[in-house]
Amino acid sequence: MTGRPEFLPVGSGYVALGDSFAAGPGIPVTVDVECARSDGNYPHLVAGELGLALIDVTCRGASIDDLIDIPESAGVHGAPLPRQVDALLPDTSLVTVTAGGNDVGFFAALRSWSAVHAAERGQLPHGRGGLASPTPQPVDRARVEDSLRGIGPRLGDVLSAVRVHAPDARVVLVDYLTVLPPMGTEVPEVPVTSAEQEFLWHVAHALGDATATAARDHGAMLGRGSAASREHHAGSPEPWVEGFFPGLNVPPYHPDAAGHMAVARLVLDALAARG
């Protein structure tokens, strides 16, 4: 994909932190059922390209608490998992992080509103790919707004925790691929109203801006997936994320294989630029 950064010799330790957007549910081949984690996700692609020793603790449903504070419960057995930063070692050389979407309720709102409109026409996803079928739930916009106000400092807390556990690691904070079509554009793959779309775009922009600010303020590199994927939203001619469809292996509104490949390229390019 790209040249090797001099600061990452073969065999360097790489730890991937994050939620289902990084874990890759539904992408072949699943290597951890509890976390719906795939060996085709972007951390595995980056590690394979650079010959790094990967510890991948990305997990479906993970919030920032699950990364740095509170052990999460996940999967069929509900077994408690250690906080993700505990996977870091003093000699870890590279860390990638994708987080925040669950904390601000972006994907919950998108799935809930889509489920309402899909139910109206008698069509719901089957929930394959390791995640349960989304069920319509009320969306508390005030709570989402409140979460947005705090997400920047919480992402900063993640980066600070990484520095404590792996002080010499290079860190790439990766934001989310674009899911929504441009404002005013309707696609069957994203069944939301124009008012819902406007609110969701507001949340997506605010989350992306908070991610970029956290990266800048804490000396991390930024993988701006949101910008790179504007023409690859759900329902586009060449999507990098799945839409709200029944029966797909990849859960609704998650990156497909092309999306994970694209994010891997972003990470590799960021590392090459740092040199």
Side-chain angles (χ1 to χ4, degrees):
M1 291 184 182
T2 188
R4 165 175 297 282
E6 294 182 1
F7 57 84
L8 284 175
V10 172
S12 297
Y14 166 25
V15 176
L17 312 177
D19 57 24
S20 57
F21 242 63
I27 304 297
V29 173
T30 299
V31 293
D32 188 308
V33 174
E34 299 288 343
C35 282
R37 188 185 305 131
S38 167
D39 69 358
N41 64 11
Y42 82 77
H44 279 80
L45 296 176
V46 169
E49 178 70 15
L50 297 179
L52 305 179
L54 173 65
I55 299 174
D56 185 359
V57 292
T58 59
C59 195
R60 63 173 184 174
S63 67
I64 289 176
D65 278 351
D66 298 317
L67 269 65
I68 62 175
D69 291 325
I70 302 170
E72 66 185 13
S73 294
V76 175
H77 303 101
L81 301 174
R83 59 181 188 163
Q84 291 188 14
V85 292
D86 288 340
L88 296 166
L89 300 171
D91 62 350
T92 297
S93 298
L94 173 64
V95 180
T96 56
V97 182
T98 299
N102 291 324
D103 297 82
V104 301
F106 175 79
F107 295 105
L110 177 57
R111 289 192 300 265
S112 292
W113 277 330
S114 297
V116 168
H117 301 303
E120 291 171 351
R121 61 178 190 248
Q123 191 176 39
L124 281 175
H126 297 299
R128 293 163 61 187
L131 292 184
S133 299
T135 302
Q137 299 289 338
V139 176
D140 187 339
R141 297 191 184 208
R143 184 175 181 180
V144 173
E145 293 282 11
D146 185 61
S147 297
L148 278 176
R149 286 189 284 272
I151 193 60
R154 289 298 283 158
L155 288 168
D157 290 343
V158 173
L159 297 176
S160 295
V162 169
R163 294 297 183 203
V164 169
H165 289 78
D168 297 323
R170 305 295 178 101
V171 183
V172 185
L173 190 55
V174 183
D175 75 356
Y176 292 88
L177 295 178
T178 295
V179 175
L180 301 165
M183 278 301 305
T185 302
E186 296 183 4
V187 296
E189 292 83 355
V190 187
V192 296
T193 68
S194 58
E196 291 163 351
Q197 185 190 32
E198 182 177 7
F199 180 74
L200 289 165
W201 261 120
H202 158 65
V203 177
H205 283 306
L207 179 58
D209 289 345
T211 302
T213 299
R216 182 196 65 212
D217 291 349
H218 291 266
M221 291 171 271
L222 179 65
R224 199 72 192 249
S226 57
S229 57
R230 288 293 166 83
E231 297 181 0
H232 300 278
H233 58 81
S236 65
E238 297 181 356
W240 289 350
V241 294
E242 294 290 354
F244 197 82
F245 282 126
L248 291 177
N249 287 325
V250 175
Y253 303 132
H254 280 69
D256 58 17
H260 280 279
M261 182 68 72
V263 175
R265 285 196 297 269
L266 288 173
V267 173
L268 291 165
D269 288 345
L271 293 172
R274 186 61 64 96

